[in-house]
Amino acid sequence: MKSSNLSSLKLFQFPAYLFIVLFVLSFASCEKEESSEIKYGLQFSDISYFPGKDIALTFTVVPNVDRSPFSIKWYEPSALTGLGPFTMNISSDLSLDFELTDAGNKTERFTYKVLADTIDSLKYDYRNRYIGQYNCDVTYSYQGEYQYFKDTLTVTKSEEFGVLRINNAGMIYNEPGSFYAYHAGASFRNDSIFYSTSGPLGAYYTYTYIGAKMK
């Protein structure tokens, strides 16, 4: 039995130098195969779902192999240049078609489709960025007289997708960052709020709030 085992081993035994050569060639082949592919990812830094199925996307094309610098040629949308970030508004599926070229002049073409129906309107509710409390400087004006003080505004979401509440007063969506109501208007910019409300006809007072969201 012992002699048989030795004989069997000899049938599969390669010279040491041959094994080393085969290993090096195999490793080089694998390394070449892996590095021959250009890979990429799409990084979405912001998604907002607005009334009317208006979706705002901010994304960047990120090549994930170390063969920079990369250049990119866009076929769809053809107006795009560079790797991003890009902000686009869509109401239906978005098709992306582009070529990436690495530092070694290797070029590959990619296509990608963003499916609008898969974007969750609740998860990416446009109002999420506005809700919270704001410390405000307030100006009260009435018949040419002014008063100044500080106050807090509380912004919450209504059950209606197109409505935002400021101190429980309903404000109707107008456009991104802008809302209105009867004798009232509000706009948001980054973490700041600009809000004004006036009295009805015959009472011409106005409260103007300028504030920043509390952290």
Side-chain angles (χ1 to χ4, degrees):
M1 292 293 294
K2 187 173 182 180
S3 174
S4 177
N5 285 339
L6 287 174
S7 176
S8 177
L9 286 172
K10 287 179 181 178
L11 291 174
F12 297 95
Q13 188 175 20
F14 293 99
Y17 71 87
L18 181 59
F19 175 77
I20 293 172
V21 171
L22 288 173
F23 175 77
V24 171
L25 289 175
S26 176
F27 178 78
S29 176
C30 290
E31 184 178 41
K32 183 177 181 181
E33 182 179 350
E34 290 177 358
S35 64
S36 66
E37 297 180 1
I38 297 177
K39 300 178 181 179
Y40 80 99
L42 285 182
Q43 184 179 70
F44 290 89
S45 56
D46 188 41
I47 303 176
S48 294
Y49 200 111
F50 295 93
K53 198 180 177 181
D54 181 19
I55 304 167
L57 304 170
T58 299
F59 65 92
T60 304
V61 178
V62 183
N64 58 1
V65 291
D66 188 19
R67 289 155 64 183
S68 59
F70 284 87
S71 61
I72 187 170
K73 179 180 180 180
W74 284 95
Y75 294 96
E76 188 178 5
S78 59
L80 298 184
T81 58
L83 298 173
F86 307 105
T87 297
M88 304 185 67
N89 285 74
I90 65 171
S91 57
S92 57
D93 296 349
L94 171 65
S95 295
L96 304 177
D97 183 357
F98 56 89
E99 276 185 350
L100 282 173
T101 302
D102 67 7
N105 214 32
K106 169 75 175 180
T107 298
E108 289 190 41
R109 187 164 176 173
F110 302 94
T111 59
Y112 188 92
K113 180 167 285 190
V114 179
L115 302 177
D117 288 341
T118 65
I119 299 176
D120 189 337
S121 61
L122 296 180
K123 181 178 179 180
Y124 298 109
D125 189 331
Y126 71 104
R127 298 170 297 179
N128 291 340
R129 68 185 61 206
Y130 307 134
I131 59 175
Q133 289 190 310
Y134 294 77
N135 281 328
C136 299
D137 294 317
V138 186
T139 301
Y140 169 79
S141 61
Y142 179 67
Q143 294 184 346
E145 296 183 0
Y146 297 88
Q147 296 179 20
Y148 306 94
F149 57 94
K150 293 186 179 292
D151 199 358
T152 301
L153 289 177
T154 301
V155 179
T156 57
K157 293 192 289 185
S158 169
E159 292 182 359
E160 299 178 69
F161 191 66
V163 177
L164 189 73
R165 294 194 173 277
I166 299 179
N167 281 5
N168 210 34
M171 303 291 295
I172 302 171
Y173 172 80
N174 181 39
E175 60 183 13
S178 176
F179 298 81
Y180 71 94
Y182 179 68
H183 286 192
S187 62
F188 296 84
R189 188 178 308 138
N190 298 324
D191 285 337
S192 299
I193 187 173
F194 304 85
Y195 172 64
S196 67
T197 180
S198 302
L201 295 177
Y204 299 106
Y205 65 83
T206 299
Y207 288 91
T208 302
Y209 297 76
I210 301 176
K213 184 184 287 188
M214 298 168 61
K215 303 298 183 181

